[in-house]
Amino acid sequence: MHRRDFLKYSAAVGAFSALPLWSRAALAADRPVLPVPDLLAPDAKNSIRLTVQSGKTAFGAKSTATWGYNGNLLGPALQLTQGEAVTVDIYNSLAEETTVHWHGLEVPGEVDGGPQGVIAAGEKRSVTFTPQQRAATCWFHPHQHGKTGHQVAMGLAGLVLIEDTESRQLMLPKQWGIDDVPLIIQDKRFSADGQIDYKLDVMSAAVGWFGDTLLCNGARYPQHANPRGWLRLRLLNGCNARTLNIAASDNRPLYVIASDGGLLAEPVKVTELPMLMGERFEVLVDTRDGKPFDIVTLPVKQMGMTVAPFDKPVPVTRIQPLRIAASGTLPDKLVEMPPLPPLEGLTERWLQLMMDPMLDMMGMQALADKYGEQAMAGMSMAGHGNMGGMNHGAMGHGQGGHGFDFHNANKINGKAFDMNAPAFAAVKGKYEKWTISGEGDMMLHPFHIHGTQFRILSENGQPVAAHRQGWKDTVHVEGGRSEVLVRFNNAASKEHAYMAHCHLLEHEDTGMMLGFTVA
């Protein structure tokens, strides 16, 4: 056992033994202990091995077929260092092809792992890159075109932690799994026999695949015992299609210290933290009072996501502070955030997001038929047209009524994704201003851009919230225009183009994505 592992486990055991007997029994019997992903650093040869594999996971009494990296479900947290090269050897032991996309990492297109970076069943792919960006919590997941939603739903997701000198010098909580804790939050739906019930049909192509069970690090409502003091939570919304709104059950404040691309200039105090799919935030929570509380997700107004139990606050994980004191602090200042450069004379791009009206109409009708008016999140069918007497008996199949193909019904600038035709070429190292518009479309689109961490200039026509003014790779687009300032520091060829797409995975899988090159 490595010394640092020994110290980590010693601390954990010591923390557990500091509990009075009655609370230790409660901790053990009440609910599962929060699973913490292994921290996996490169070996002596600067290599990391990842195996994409199938397995079994118990959710309650049922054994469920799941997929994971180096395990049955989810994956490890890869610990990388700014300026240090790493080689990741990826072995695909699944019976189907997959890719591994480094979400949030600023790496060249050829190693980015988009839909072109296919690893066939039984094959291996090795990628080498050197992270040059700031310290950040990023993640990795499949990007197999048309199958991303299914493969993520099966359990494929893991974290990437990038460290740098600046972040190490701050007195933030740093004991992995003790006072520095990841929360990968996902919803799932299970069939009667306990299997993951994933379908890409007209309804999910329109509103996304959503579940009725919330998991945190792959467990239902687990509990974490932490030293009393400042607790650092690295939050990832790993859902396919569900927006989260994170809060503490007793309304204690969350201090946001980092967003997708790393640390903010200074902490931002919030009591609610909305999170789009794919977004990460790091928050510090003060647990010095020793009182237990839940991290919860509050109800959101999003089509399909208001169905019980999500019409009320749903607990994510229980936080149970211990008697022993934590050592991390909340700094007043974090890192220097560079001022925005002048915006005059930049290349400007317009990306119009739009759902085919037929899919909109059929998807809304299917949602209302299955879940009732409550699922419409306060929006009437009138806003989405009316199917009237349309025959929608075939909606669960690739073709709906009138020979409609929903697999290419979500579009950017009027076109569904074409892997062989990048939409434009960006110039390496040059700032560009992108306007991503959801005008005329009622749906939520968390828009993600590969190969960069950008700055948001406006979000749905509104000024940018304080905690969203740092480095981001995902922006909120919902019925309005959002503007971002992007720059790409790495190359991406036509064969390995970067992607820009909606991170509601079923929208991505049904066409709302484009490729672009950088040279």
Side-chain angles (χ1 to χ4, degrees):
M1 183 181 283
H2 294 301
R3 180 170 178 272
R4 69 170 179 222
D5 288 339
F6 175 74
L7 290 173
K8 182 174 84 172
Y9 290 124
S10 301
V13 169
F16 190 71
S17 60
L19 281 168
L21 283 172
W22 63 265
S23 62
R24 260 187 274 173
L27 189 63
D30 196 18
R31 55 185 56 90
V33 172
L34 176 75
V36 176
D38 291 337
L39 205 51
L40 188 56
D43 63 17
K45 295 179 179 177
N46 294 323
S47 292
I48 288 176
R49 180 185 173 114
L50 281 182
T51 302
V52 193
Q53 61 191 77
S54 58
K56 295 278 188 186
T57 304
F59 297 105
K62 302 273 176 65
S63 178
T64 304
T66 54
W67 295 351
Y69 300 104
N70 296 2
N72 293 325
L73 181 69
L74 298 175
L78 309 187
Q79 188 167 39
L80 308 182
T81 303
Q82 183 187 52
E84 293 186 9
V86 63
T87 298
V88 187
D89 298 315
I90 309 159
Y91 296 82
N92 179 15
S93 68
L94 298 176
E96 64 182 66
E97 60 187 30
T98 189
T99 83
V100 175
H101 165 53
W102 306 105
H103 183 129
L105 268 65
E106 298 179 56
V107 297
E110 63 186 0
V111 294
D112 177 68
Q116 316 91 330
V118 171
I119 313 164
E123 294 296 317
K124 170 197 171 187
R125 182 176 195 231
S126 293
V127 294
T128 300
F129 54 83
T130 304
Q132 300 291 1
Q133 66 205 84
R134 304 147 296 278
T137 301
C138 300
W139 65 305
F140 60 98
H141 62 77
H143 216 299
Q144 182 70 31
H145 185 51
K147 297 277 187 72
T148 299
H150 178 242
Q151 294 191 356
V152 172
M154 289 300 293
L156 292 178
L159 296 173
V160 181
L161 313 183
I162 302 171
E163 291 193 325
D164 64 12
T165 307
E166 220 171 6
S167 67
R168 287 195 187 106
Q169 288 171 347
L170 291 166
M171 296 299 291
L172 295 167
K174 292 185 176 72
Q175 293 177 287
W176 182 250
I178 297 172
D179 63 4
D180 181 359
V181 180
L183 300 183
I184 303 168
I185 308 167
Q186 298 174 303
D187 60 334
K188 293 268 186 278
R189 186 165 68 240
F190 299 95
S191 58
D193 62 353
Q195 301 310 301
I196 293 169
D197 183 19
Y198 186 85
K199 288 189 182 71
L200 182 58
D201 55 17
V202 162
M203 188 177 80
S204 63
V207 301
W209 180 75
F210 56 89
D212 54 13
T213 301
L214 197 69
L215 301 179
C216 183
N217 296 357
R220 291 182 184 174
Y221 188 20
Q223 179 161 281
H224 179 67
N226 63 290
R228 190 176 303 198
W230 287 102
L231 172 64
R232 179 184 191 173
L233 299 175
R234 297 179 190 248
L235 302 163
L236 162 63
N237 180 345
C239 299
N240 281 38
R242 180 180 297 281
T243 308
L244 303 169
N245 190 12
I246 301 300
S249 57
D250 59 3
N251 217 34
R252 70 180 65 204
L254 310 175
Y255 294 86
V256 184
I257 60 165
S259 56
D260 298 336
L263 293 164
L264 303 179
E266 57 191 35
V268 178
K269 181 180 176 180
V270 300
T271 51
E272 296 181 12
L273 180 60
M275 292 188 70
L276 301 167
M277 300 71 89
E279 282 189 317
R280 289 86 60 214
F281 286 102
E282 295 181 37
V283 301
L284 260 55
V285 193
D286 188 355
T287 72
R288 285 175 295 190
D289 62 6
K291 294 178 180 174
F293 61 95
D294 289 334
I295 296 294
V296 302
T297 182
L298 302 173
V300 296
K301 283 284 182 191
Q302 184 193 347
M303 208 82 71
M305 308 301 157
T306 54
V307 177
F310 291 94
D311 53 346
K312 296 181 175 64
V314 178
V316 175
T317 193
R318 182 81 164 164
I319 303 298
Q320 174 68 64
L322 301 169
R323 284 182 178 177
I324 58 171
S327 56
T329 61
L330 177 70
D332 292 331
K333 298 285 182 189
L334 294 164
V335 295
E336 286 297 318
M337 186 61 61
L340 292 172
L343 302 179
E344 294 78 36
L346 299 182
T347 296
E348 298 197 20
R349 302 194 190 278
W350 178 277
L351 279 66
Q352 180 72 49
L353 312 183
M354 188 64 75
M355 180 182 292
D356 186 296
M358 181 72 80
L359 174 62
D360 190 6
M361 199 160 57
M362 293 168 70
M364 294 310 112
Q365 185 73 54
L367 180 68
D369 287 352
K370 185 165 185 176
Y371 292 104
E373 282 301 310
Q374 180 189 0
M376 302 302 289
M379 298 187 199
S380 69
M381 280 297 294
H384 298 267
N386 193 314
M387 289 183 62
M390 182 185 295
N391 169 22
H392 53 277
M395 288 201 307
H397 305 287
Q399 304 293 328
H402 302 281
F404 173 66
D405 175 19
F406 67 80
H407 290 285
N408 295 289
N410 281 303
K411 298 172 183 176
I412 302 177
N413 293 345
K415 296 177 181 173
F417 177 59
D418 181 347
M419 196 168 339
N420 301 310
F424 54 83
V427 177
K428 185 176 167 181
K430 290 281 181 72
Y431 281 110
E432 297 189 353
K433 180 184 170 186
W434 292 17
T435 302
I436 304 123
S437 171
E439 291 167 311
D441 186 284
M442 303 282 284
M443 300 301 299
L444 166 71
H445 303 298
F447 200 78
H448 170 55
I449 304 172
H450 289 207
T452 186
Q453 289 290 340
F454 53 69
R455 304 282 290 277
I456 304 175
L457 302 174
S458 69
E459 216 161 16
N460 286 308
Q462 300 297 315
V464 188
H467 65 282
R468 301 180 67 80
Q469 290 178 15
W471 298 105
K472 295 279 295 146
D473 57 47
T474 303
V475 63
H476 186 173
V477 181
E478 189 171 13
R481 299 180 189 182
S482 296
E483 300 169 316
V484 298
L485 182 70
V486 300
R487 181 173 64 179
F488 303 94
N489 295 323
N490 293 286
S493 65
K494 180 182 176 184
E495 293 73 29
H496 295 285
Y498 285 138
M499 298 293 120
H501 60 89
C502 179
H503 216 281
L504 193 157
L505 297 183
E506 287 68 36
H507 287 179
E508 169 191 334
D509 277 338
T510 54
M512 195 172 285
M513 178 159 66
L514 57 74
F516 63 96
T517 62
V518 177

